[in-house]
Amino acid sequence: MSERNGDARRASVAVRAATAGADVADESFRTDLEVEYKDGKTDVVTQVDRDAQTTVIEVIEEAFPADPIVGEEDDALKQVPETGPAWIVDPIDGTNNFVNESRAFATAVAAVRDGEPVGAATVCPALSDTYRVGPEGAFRNEEPLSVSDCGDPEAATVCPTFWWDFDDREQYAGATRAIVERFGDMRRFGCAQLELAMVAAGTLEGTMTNLRANSWDTVAGVQLVREAGGTVTDLEGNRWRHDSTGLVASNGEIHEELRAATREAQFTGE
């Protein structure tokens, strides 16, 4: 199998794996759940997260048994290999939403080669939305995605993403203040992969954080934004990759204004 054909197949498997994991999550949505806490009062995990990740990995390993897999839960790898093919899995992005019966959660799977995505899927079962990206472009429920064409910051809607812990609340406040002073409106959904998908779909003009984000929270959505015509950089304006500090994702039209807002949050905490 050629590398190109292999990557096209990986893009297809990403959709199957994300759908299978999302089905596991959906079966337990709005049922009695036993909630555990990781590093804080809002950093939660359930057995459903683990079961969904197991299901995703089973689908991947059936098709590509030799590929390494990076995942959020348990003993999966935590670093993306710099060379060769690999997979990045978030079984339930937005677990806090999931346990609180909010529909804003997703299963995200990305296939990468040499650290760069070649295919990905973000499945939001409670919203009946499947986002996918591969060699043929980016889609939501088989409709092509395109970022917003809004170029006026005062008409744009922006989302601060990821979680500033309690010892970083000055930066959280700084990010919020920078957004409301520069842009028309603000949203926050508590599910980074969904927020990135919404930028790709034109529902949001941008999303941002000054923090270094986990690969499982970002890579699939970043590729959606790029393939839909958007721009994703780090704080300095360099092309974003899975080990970058800061993430600024936009429709491209408001990107420099959004990057400036993100840097304001960074400097607030220094």
Side-chain angles (χ1 to χ4, degrees), residues 35-46:
V35 178
E36 304 167 37
Y37 294 86
K38 295 196 240 184
D39 297 325
K41 295 179 180 179
T42 60
D43 190 4
V44 299
V45 67
T46 71

Side-chain angles (χ1 to χ4, degrees), residues 241-262:
R241 44 175 278 136
H242 60 82
D243 55 0
S244 294
T245 297
L247 185 151
V248 186
S250 79
N251 64 353
E253 299 294 327
I254 63 158
H255 196 80
E256 287 308 306
E257 191 80 9
L258 184 57
R259 190 167 71 87
T262 310

